[in-house]
């Protein structure tokens, strides 16, 4: 994956998942993404999903994993997210 693909995938997964989290985190994630700070937006999204105990699909979790690995972020919070399928 190159940087442009990272940005495309980040926007796609954020649009897909941001409605599942509380309004507390939504503005931060959307603002960071809108400013092109996708590593920060994805990190915050994963943290919010974990903290709020939101279940996502295995495919969504795999997509987040790829993005987190691209940024070389720790997967600690990602591993705590439940899957619904």
């Amino acid at each position: 994956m190159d940087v442009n693909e990272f940005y495309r995938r980040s926007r796609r997964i954020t649009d897909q998942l941001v409605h599942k989290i509380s309004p507390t985190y939504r503005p931060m994630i959307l603002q960071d993404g809108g400013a092109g700070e996708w590593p920060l937006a994805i990190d915050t999204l994963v943290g919010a999903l974990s903290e709020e105990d939101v279940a996502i699909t295995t495919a969504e979790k795999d997509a987040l994993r790829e993005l987190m690995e691209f940024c070389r972020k720790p997967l600690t919070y990602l591993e705590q997210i439940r899957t619904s399928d």
Side-chain angles (χ1 to χ4, degrees), residues 2 14-15 17 23 25 35 41 50 55 60 62 65 76 78 80 83:
D2 65 10
T14 300
D15 290 346
L17 295 175
Y25 294 103
S50 174
E60 291 167 337
D62 290 344
R65 181 180 309 280
T76 308
L78 180 69
Q80 296 173 8
T83 54

Side-chain angles (χ1 to χ4, degrees), residues 67-80:
L67 296 171
M68 296 289 285
E69 288 174 347
F70 182 82
C71 296
R72 299 178 187 210
K73 298 277 187 176
L75 303 177
T76 308
Y77 291 112
L78 180 69
E79 292 168 354
Q80 296 173 8

